[in-house]
């Protein structure tokens, strides 16, 4: 029997996870409050999957089977038969706690409830449930289809069984896993905060232009892309918000200070690639 | 110390060198590959033999101590004023070094740092009094062994060494705080963020003592607390061990963890048993040998079977 995954939120993250799960032969229940949003999400997945069709590794029959694995859901209660429910809603603790509180009442206690949050506390989200031991974090990384990692976040009350169940599910999705404690930024965002933060300090101090810093990091360090190119990709405003959230959760430790240059760019509409202007022009 | 090369076609490409053995060792192959001859500046007879063949001086001491100053002053004294000198300036700014010299106009700072010498670029810093011809000579010299000169601000840490030191430090903060294992942290950054090496692997490659020294220098230079060295890095720097030798990270006894005590799906009796075993447990041995501690730390997950997936 295939692993059954419920996904809450048909935004960019939810769509990519549904896509990945369907390719990994899992059954997917894709939930969003808005029927039109789900319809467009499914169209997007169909389009992306169609582009993957070839004669050998992913045939037209495989495409059909993958699409059939994704079911549209507009009622949370319809997720009650899922083995694992992945919440990919907006980064708002109230929204997430409300969702988990509802999930706690409609799902069997053996269903694992996970959040894809990148900046909120899993322990805080789990506190909305009566069985916090079945709640954990499951962080995917963009681009989700090609980044081979899932960061499993263990909340203060997450059980070993839940961690292992998520590890098994991640394995099913073809992803490597690491386990992190529920601390601000977990592992990747916390360490990335220094990568981006130091580069932004250098730029603020006029140590070198952004393109020069990127070039040095790329060529001297062997990184795929420099920090400013990466921020442009993820969105200057998004990165600023994430940095600010981390800074606050770290009790304003100066190591994690966000940078005014990003706030100003966001205010000016220079939000990176998506607005065609960030540290670079597109 | 003059090698056979110095009498052939490469005779005019001799470089007088002082500095740390490790950094010189990392550069020696590259320089020789490009036809340069290294002459140790503290070898008076070799220096005399090379004579007019010497076209540049290289000072490759990374420490901030008096040794750096002594070696730079030696080069400044033995080389004619027209010869440019490139000096490692990651931990001491080029401006500071120039202030020590009799002929500061020939100094160009170079971001030479252990473990970071492979790339095709050379971060450089040009102090205020450096003459244009010295910069041009430095550019030509670096190009001569395949490095493109990139001029950046003259600051402790420069660009890449400072960034990577902060990454290593943060990873060791996280390791010491049991956010994740060192192995998982390296894996996370390689698989999740596309790093070519994990942060701990970077630290291992550079050397933890050098990373700590750089952070201390950055903190001293800027007065900023964000460069504070984490306790685990401080220990690794003192012990001088690379990560492969597995320093023992203190691990609290599982039952005593306040935050890390996982909830469990196990029945209540199991919890009672745990409490009972805690009561009867012998006192912890703080000075267990590393091998024994490594066994305790092993947290390999139990093998997951397909039926477990179905049962969740």
């Amino acid at each position: 029997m295939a692993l059954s995954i419920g996904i809450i939120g048909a935004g960019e993250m939810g769509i990519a996870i549904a896509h990945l799960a369907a390719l990994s032969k899992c059954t997917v229940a894709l939930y969003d409050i808005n029927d039109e949003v789900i319809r467009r999400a499914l169209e997007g997945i169909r389009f992306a999957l169609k582009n993957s069709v070839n004669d050998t590794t992913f045939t037209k029959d495989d495409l059909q089977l993958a699409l059939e694995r994704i079911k549209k859901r507009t009622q949370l209660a319809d997720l009650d038969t899922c083995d694992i429910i992945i919440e990919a809603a907006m980064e708002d603790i109230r929204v997430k706690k409300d969702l988990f509180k509802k999930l706690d009442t409609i799902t069997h206690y053996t269903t694992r409830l996970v959040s894809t949050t990148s900046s909120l506390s899993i322990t805080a989200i789990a506190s909305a449930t009566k069985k916090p031991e079945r709640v954990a974090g499951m962080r995917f990384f963009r681009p989700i289809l090609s980044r081979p990692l899932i960061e499993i976040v263990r909340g203060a009350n997450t059980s070993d069984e839940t961690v292992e169940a998520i590890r098994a599910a991640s394995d099913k999705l073809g992803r490597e896993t690491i386990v992190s404690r529920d601390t601000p930024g977990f592992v990747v965002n916390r360490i990335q905060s220094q990568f981006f933060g130091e580069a932004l300090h250098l730029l603020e101090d006029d140590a070198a232009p952004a393109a020069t810093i990127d070039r040095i990091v790329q060529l001297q360090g062997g990184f795929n892309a420099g920090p400013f190119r990466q921020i442009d990709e993820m969105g200057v405003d998004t990165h600023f918000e994430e940095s600010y959230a981390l800074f606050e959760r770290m009790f304003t430790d100066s190591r994690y200070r966000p940078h005014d240059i990003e706030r100003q760019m966001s205010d000016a509409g220079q939000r990176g690639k998506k607005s065609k202007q960030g540290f670079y022009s597109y | 110390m003059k090698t056979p090369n110095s009498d052939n076609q490469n005779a005019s490409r001799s470089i007088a060198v002082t500095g740390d053995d490790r950094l010189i060792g990392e550069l020696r192959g590259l320089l020789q590959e490009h036809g340069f001859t290294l002459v140790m500046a503290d070898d008076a007879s070799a220096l005399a033999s090379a004579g007019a063949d010497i076209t540049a001086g290289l000072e490759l001491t990374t420490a901030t101590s008096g040794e750096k100053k002594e070696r730079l002053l030696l080069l400044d004294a033995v080389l004619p004023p027209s010869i440019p000198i490139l000096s490692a300036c990651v931990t001491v700014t080029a401006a500071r070094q120039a202030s020590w010299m009799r002929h500061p106009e020939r100094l160009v700072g170079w971001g030479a740092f252990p473990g970071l010498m492979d790339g095709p670029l050379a971060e450089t810093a040009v102090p205020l009094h450096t003459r244009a011809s010295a910069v041009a000579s430095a550019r030509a010299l670096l190009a001569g062994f395949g490095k493109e000169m990139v001029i950046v601000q003259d600051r402790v840490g420069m660009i890449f060494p400072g960034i990577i030191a902060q990454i290593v430090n943060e990873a060791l903060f996280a390791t010491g705080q049991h956010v994740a294992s060192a192995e998982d942290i390296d894996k996370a950054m390689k698989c999740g963020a596309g790093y070519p090496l994990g942060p701990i692997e970077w630290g291992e490659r550079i050397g933890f003592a050098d990373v700590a020294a750089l952070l201390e220098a950055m903190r001293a230079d800027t007065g900023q607390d964000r460069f504070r060295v984490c306790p685990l890095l401080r220990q690794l720097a003192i012990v001088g061990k690379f990560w492969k030798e597995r320093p023992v990270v203190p691990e609290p006894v599982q039952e005593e963890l306040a935050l890390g005590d996982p909830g469990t799906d196990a029945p209540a009796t199991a919890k009672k048993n745990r409490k009972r075993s805690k009561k009867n447990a012998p006192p912890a041995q703080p000075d267990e040998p590393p091998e024994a501690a490594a066994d305790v730390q092993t947290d390999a997950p139990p093998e997951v079977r397909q039926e477990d997936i179905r049962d969740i």
Side-chain angles (χ1 to χ4, degrees):
Chain A
M1 193 176 148
L3 180 69
S4 169
I5 299 178
I7 298 170
I8 297 177
E12 185 200 347
M13 173 81 73
I15 291 172
I17 298 170
H19 184 158
L20 175 66
L23 282 179
S24 307
K25 301 191 168 102
C26 302
T27 61
V28 179
L30 182 59
Y31 165 87
D32 200 290
I33 199 162
N34 188 326
D35 191 57
E36 177 59 17
V37 169
I38 303 189
R39 194 187 60 73
R40 273 189 274 130
L42 290 174
E43 264 178 28
I45 294 171
R46 178 189 296 274
F47 181 77
L49 283 171
K50 259 186 180 174
N51 284 341
S52 310
V53 170
N54 56 51
D55 292 335
T56 52
T57 54
F58 192 68
T59 63
K60 280 184 180 172
D61 288 345
D62 293 330
L63 165 71
Q64 196 52 40
L65 286 170
L67 288 171
E68 283 171 9
R69 286 185 202 113
I70 307 176
K71 308 292 181 203
K72 189 172 85 170
R73 296 284 183 260
T74 51
Q75 300 293 321
L76 263 189
D78 293 339
L79 303 181
D80 62 346
T81 55
C82 294
D83 298 317
I84 180 167
I85 297 177
I86 302 173
E87 168 274 312
M90 60 195 294
E91 284 286 273
D92 182 323
I93 189 71
R94 283 171 301 180
V95 171
K96 289 187 191 288
K97 282 176 96 166
D98 185 48
L99 271 170
F100 275 76
K101 191 174 180 183
K102 287 175 183 161
L103 289 172
D104 197 34
T105 58
I106 62 171
T107 56
H108 190 259
Y109 74 92
T110 55
T111 303
R112 312 297 164 175
L113 307 177
V114 305
S115 173
T116 58
T117 182
S118 60
S119 57
L120 302 173
S121 161
I122 294 300
T123 307
I125 293 169
S127 71
T129 70
K130 287 179 181 156
K131 285 201 169 289
E133 61 270 22
R134 63 171 170 143
V135 179
M138 193 174 180
R139 258 212 89 193
F140 292 80
F141 296 89
R142 292 188 177 90
I144 289 171
L145 291 174
S146 56
R147 279 269 188 256
L149 183 79
I150 286 174
E151 188 173 12
I152 301 171
V153 184
R154 181 195 277 276
N157 296 302
T158 305
S159 69
D160 291 343
E161 290 83 352
T162 296
V163 170
E164 290 315 316
I166 295 170
R167 205 194 289 272
S170 304
D171 193 41
K172 186 87 178 157
L173 295 174
R175 292 296 176 266
E176 296 278 343
T177 54
I178 67 125
V179 180
S180 164
R181 258 181 59 206
D182 183 22
T183 54
F186 314 131
V187 171
V188 175
N189 273 19
R190 178 173 173 171
I191 292 169
Q192 283 287 68
S193 74
Q194 300 306 310
F195 177 67
F196 294 123
E198 199 52 34
L200 285 159
H201 272 293
L202 291 166
L203 190 66
E204 272 185 352
D205 292 352
D206 202 23
T212 303
I213 295 171
D214 271 0
R215 190 158 174 263
I216 288 171
V217 169
Q218 217 174 338
L219 295 180
Q220 284 302 99
F223 286 71
N224 289 332
F228 298 107
R229 183 70 73 184
Q230 288 191 39
I231 293 174
D232 268 3
E233 288 286 337
M234 77 177 86
V236 177
D237 53 336
T238 306
H239 182 254
F240 178 72
E241 283 163 17
E242 280 187 2
S243 305
Y244 204 91
L246 179 63
F247 180 59
E248 284 190 324
R249 288 197 63 206
M250 285 293 196
F251 302 106
T252 69
D253 184 335
S254 63
R255 293 177 58 74
Y256 309 97
R257 176 175 76 76
H259 293 262
D260 195 51
I261 192 168
E262 285 192 309
R263 187 192 344 232
Q264 286 196 25
M265 287 174 70
S266 302
D267 289 346
Q270 297 171 5
R271 292 178 289 121
K273 202 170 182 181
K274 61 190 172 190
S275 69
K276 299 193 186 314
Q277 181 62 50
F279 292 102
Y280 296 90
S281 295
Y282 298 90
Chain B
M1 169 113 188
K2 199 171 175 182
T3 69
N5 262 358
S6 57
D7 293 326
N8 62 23
Q9 57 179 350
N10 298 319
S12 63
R13 303 182 78 185
S14 296
I15 300 173
V17 183
T18 61
D20 299 337
D21 290 345
R22 183 175 166 206
L23 206 43
I24 293 172
E26 284 185 28
L27 264 182
R28 186 184 298 278
L30 181 68
L31 289 166
Q32 288 177 344
E33 187 185 315
H34 286 81
F36 287 93
T37 302
L38 298 188
V39 180
M40 299 310 295
D42 55 1
D43 184 340
S45 63
L47 210 56
S49 304
D53 293 344
I54 292 174
T55 54
L58 270 185
E59 206 303 293
L60 296 173
T61 306
T62 54
T64 55
S65 65
E67 204 171 26
K68 168 97 186 156
K69 186 174 179 179
E70 276 174 30
R71 289 170 174 170
L72 183 60
L73 291 182
L74 172 70
L75 272 182
D76 197 26
V78 299
L79 297 179
S82 60
I83 304 283
I85 295 175
L86 266 86
S87 180
C89 66
V90 176
T91 54
V92 190
T93 62
R96 166 86 55 201
Q97 296 180 48
S99 74
W100 302 332
M101 298 169 67
R102 272 184 72 192
H103 301 288
E105 69 282 357
R106 57 157 142 191
L107 183 77
V108 173
W110 179 16
F113 205 64
L116 304 179
M117 301 301 293
D118 287 346
L121 304 182
E123 289 183 44
T124 54
V126 180
L128 290 176
H129 299 298
T130 301
R131 60 174 184 254
S133 61
V135 177
S137 298
R139 192 182 295 279
L141 176 70
L142 290 163
F145 51 92
K147 296 212 180 277
E148 181 193 339
M149 179 172 171
V150 179
I151 299 174
V152 301
Q153 192 179 65
D154 183 17
R155 60 188 284 142
V156 175
M158 301 193 79
I159 305 293
F160 189 64
I163 291 175
I164 205 70
Q166 283 285 67
I167 289 171
V168 174
N169 199 29
E170 192 63 34
L172 290 171
F173 263 121
T175 307
Q177 293 163 3
H178 304 284
V179 174
S181 68
E183 291 80 3
D184 269 5
I185 287 173
D186 273 354
K187 186 175 169 187
M189 300 318 290
K190 287 191 282 187
C191 297
Y195 281 28
L197 288 175
I200 315 283
E201 289 171 336
W202 273 112
E204 190 180 35
R205 178 165 155 177
I206 295 166
F208 293 112
D210 281 310
V211 174
L214 174 54
L215 289 164
E216 293 283 14
M218 290 166 85
R219 192 178 188 191
D221 187 57
T222 62
Q224 292 182 12
D225 186 54
R226 66 194 171 93
F227 298 116
R228 66 183 182 274
V229 177
C230 84
L232 182 55
L233 177 53
R234 204 176 286 283
Q235 286 177 35
L236 286 166
I238 293 167
V239 175
K241 284 183 179 174
F242 283 166
W243 193 256
K244 277 176 185 151
E245 293 172 42
R246 294 287 160 223
V248 179
V249 179
E251 183 119 18
V253 176
Q254 189 68 23
E255 281 83 356
E256 290 175 356
L257 273 172
L259 279 176
D261 188 10
T264 177
D265 293 350
T269 47
K271 281 187 177 173
K272 277 181 195 165
N273 288 340
R274 277 198 319 182
K275 278 183 188 166
R276 220 174 277 139
S277 65
K278 183 183 165 190
K279 211 184 259 181
N280 299 332
Q285 298 298 314
D287 294 318
E288 280 180 333
E291 291 79 10
D295 288 339
V296 174
Q297 275 182 257
T298 302
D299 57 357
E303 195 179 327
V304 180
R305 298 161 301 163
Q306 191 60 36
E307 48 270 37
D308 292 332
I309 301 172
R310 295 196 190 103
D311 288 340
I312 61 175

